[in-house]
Amino acid sequence: MTKHKDNQTEEQILEAAQQVFQAKGMDGARMQEIADKANINKAMLHYYYRSKQLLFEAVFKKAFALLAPQLNAILNDDSALEDKIRSFTHNYISFMMKHPYLPNFIIQELNRNPKFIESLKNNVAFPNISKFKTQVEEEVEKGTIVSVNAEQLFINILSLNVFPFVASPLIKAFTNVDDKAYKAMLEDRKTAVSDFIINAIKK
Amino acid sequence: MTKHKDNQTEEQILEAAQQVFQAKGMDGARMQEIADKANINKAMLHYYYRSKQLLFEAVFKKAFALLAPQLNAILNDDSALEDKIRSFTHNYISFMMKHPYLPNFIIQELNRNPKFIESLKNNVAFPNISKFKTQVEEEVEKGTIVSVNAEQLFINILSLNVFPFVASPLIKAFTNVDDKAYKAMLEDRKTAVSDFIINAIKK
DNA sequence: ATAAGGTTTAACCATTTGGTTAACAAAAGT
DNA sequence: ACTTTTGTTAACCAAATGGTTAAACCTTAT
């Protein structure tokens, strides 16, 4: 119990900031609300993070660092394509059901400030398609899957997995489904999406 | 040239508001910026629309009214399922390439305020899945497509078509693709996506 | 004990922001 | 002609907001 209270406060702030920023975005978030949620004085936010912008960036980078390994699972893992699709879909949906704010937060703030992505490319293990592209091209050549463009396939996989988390209010409304039933549908998607994708590319 | 100048001003405001709201969201938008873009005094915004909230709602409803018919094309049209998937994909991507801000704007603001969807259900021709569901179930019974849940299929179609517009900065970064090449990829998707979907459900 | 260093708080500040007001200009109705 | 209604503007206002400050409070090493 020597001097870890500082670390603890810093963590409290980051935790509270994460909640507020992810729920309301950079522009909608209020420093006072973050301070209240962290049970500290507003000046502490500036003591530890200097400015709203820097606090936001800390939250954003932490969120992105959480997402990146998920994506690298499909882009850089060594297993066979079909296995990867199944495990990625299963794992990604499980993961996002625990962090439902994440994808929307990242997409929204990246749209607000596209330059922001440049700093991420340096700081975090940034997902890259090249290895996945080689693998897809090999499988096409071997004849195990139909001829597909690797980028398009990647976009399709990503779309089918991410979109239901980004657009949930809209989809719920169109399909006349409540929260509970929507969760059940997401649960089904852990296998339904991979079946769908594999069906689409299997010869 | 009698008394349409009023209408003209009102339109200028709505047009400017649309640009600013869609680029920066409700919270990030500034009334002064809208006024400047419309080349009018800030007080005029309140003269015609009373408040930021009401101006925003006018913009939002107009945007949603533009989107809804697109979705009704796949949900309520009478043509055969396969034809619908092909024409929807083609038309939706063409349409969104002309209005790239639209889907992100609607999704973002609906996440910010999910209650908002209730008022839409009354005002606009709100897309509904029921007819589409019947059609899918019939085709499954006839044996022309594999056994799929209609809601899941709808989500898949929507995901594959919408997501690339919502997450473009992210996808561009992962696939190392610039603006021009991304547009070409979207162009390809007009047929690639429908092929993908039909492959996935065809027996 | 006490000096030094980091930590925390209440009060304060400058700027921004949505919104209002009162006067003025332009049509439109009589 | 003149009165009323509608459209437009500059100046103004109160509240909110990100950020600062100066003093108080701990903790710890000397």
Side-chain angles (χ1 to χ4, degrees), chain A:
Chain A
M1 222 162 270
T2 48
K3 70 155 198 169
H4 63 51
K5 212 197 171 187
D6 18 323
N7 260 326
Q8 192 191 317
T9 308
E10 207 171 327
E11 260 312 308
Q12 274 172 27
I13 294 175
L14 203 62
E15 169 68 25
Q18 185 176 307
Q19 283 178 40
V20 176
F21 278 131
Q22 290 190 2
K24 311 203 168 175
M26 168 68 169
D27 292 325
R30 295 291 158 249
M31 294 297 267
Q32 189 60 59
E33 187 180 352
I34 295 173
D36 291 348
K37 189 154 280 186
N39 278 314
I40 49 143
N41 188 286
K42 182 163 67 87
M44 295 297 282
L45 301 181
H46 294 96
Y47 181 76
Y48 281 104
Y49 292 92
R50 287 194 60 87
S51 71
K52 188 185 184 185
Q53 177 65 25
L54 287 172
L55 176 55
F56 173 80
E57 284 176 20
V59 169
F60 188 89
K61 277 175 186 161
K62 192 183 162 195
F64 195 86
L66 213 60
L67 183 75
Q70 302 288 324
L71 299 178
N72 278 318
I74 195 144
L75 291 174
N76 293 324
D77 191 86
D78 282 319
S79 51
L81 187 60
E82 189 174 326
D83 293 341
K84 276 165 75 165
I85 291 172
R86 288 200 198 280
S87 67
F88 171 73
T89 299
H90 196 280
N91 293 339
Y92 184 90
I93 294 178
S94 301
F95 179 76
M96 282 309 150
M97 286 179 86
K98 286 180 210 134
H99 306 271
Y101 276 108
L102 243 190
N104 195 49
F105 172 64
I106 287 175
I107 286 171
Q108 171 55 22
E109 298 301 330
L110 232 43
N111 271 310
R112 207 179 50 89
N113 185 6
K115 292 175 214 155
F116 205 50
I117 215 159
E118 295 307 320
S119 68
L120 288 175
K121 280 190 175 171
N122 306 323
N123 280 329
V124 202
F126 198 82
N128 187 286
I129 201 176
S130 54
K131 190 176 173 184
F132 177 80
K133 192 175 164 77
T134 310
Q135 181 179 29
V136 170
E137 283 164 357
E138 274 171 17
E139 299 237 16
V140 168
E141 189 142 355
K142 267 193 282 175
T144 49
I145 61 171
V146 299
S147 172
V148 280
N149 175 272
E151 280 85 0
Q152 297 286 8
L153 177 58
F154 174 65
I155 295 177
N156 292 350
I157 295 173
L158 215 56
S159 300
L160 291 166
N161 279 291
V162 182
F163 189 71
F165 292 95
V166 174
S168 56
L170 207 59
I171 299 176
K172 278 179 201 161
F174 291 156
T175 55
N176 305 310
V177 146
D178 63 15
D179 264 46
K180 200 185 156 194
Y182 195 71
K183 265 193 186 162
M185 283 180 52
L186 290 175
E187 199 65 49
D188 285 348
R189 287 182 76 78
K190 287 182 186 175
T191 56
V193 166
S194 36
D195 288 348
F196 187 87
I197 298 170
I198 288 162
N199 241 335
I201 61 172
K202 221 27 179 315
K203 260 200 171 145

Side-chain angles (χ1 to χ4, degrees), chain B residues 19-39:
Chain B
Q19 284 177 40
V20 176
F21 278 131
Q22 290 190 2
K24 310 203 169 175
M26 169 68 170
D27 293 326
R30 295 290 158 248
M31 294 297 267
Q32 189 59 59
E33 187 180 352
I34 295 172
D36 291 347
K37 189 155 280 186
N39 278 314

Side-chain angles (χ1 to χ4, degrees), chain B residues 124-141:
Chain B
V124 202
F126 198 82
N128 187 286
I129 201 175
S130 55
K131 190 175 172 183
F132 178 79
K133 192 175 163 77
T134 309
Q135 181 179 28
V136 169
E137 283 164 358
E138 276 170 15
E139 299 237 16
V140 169
E141 189 142 356

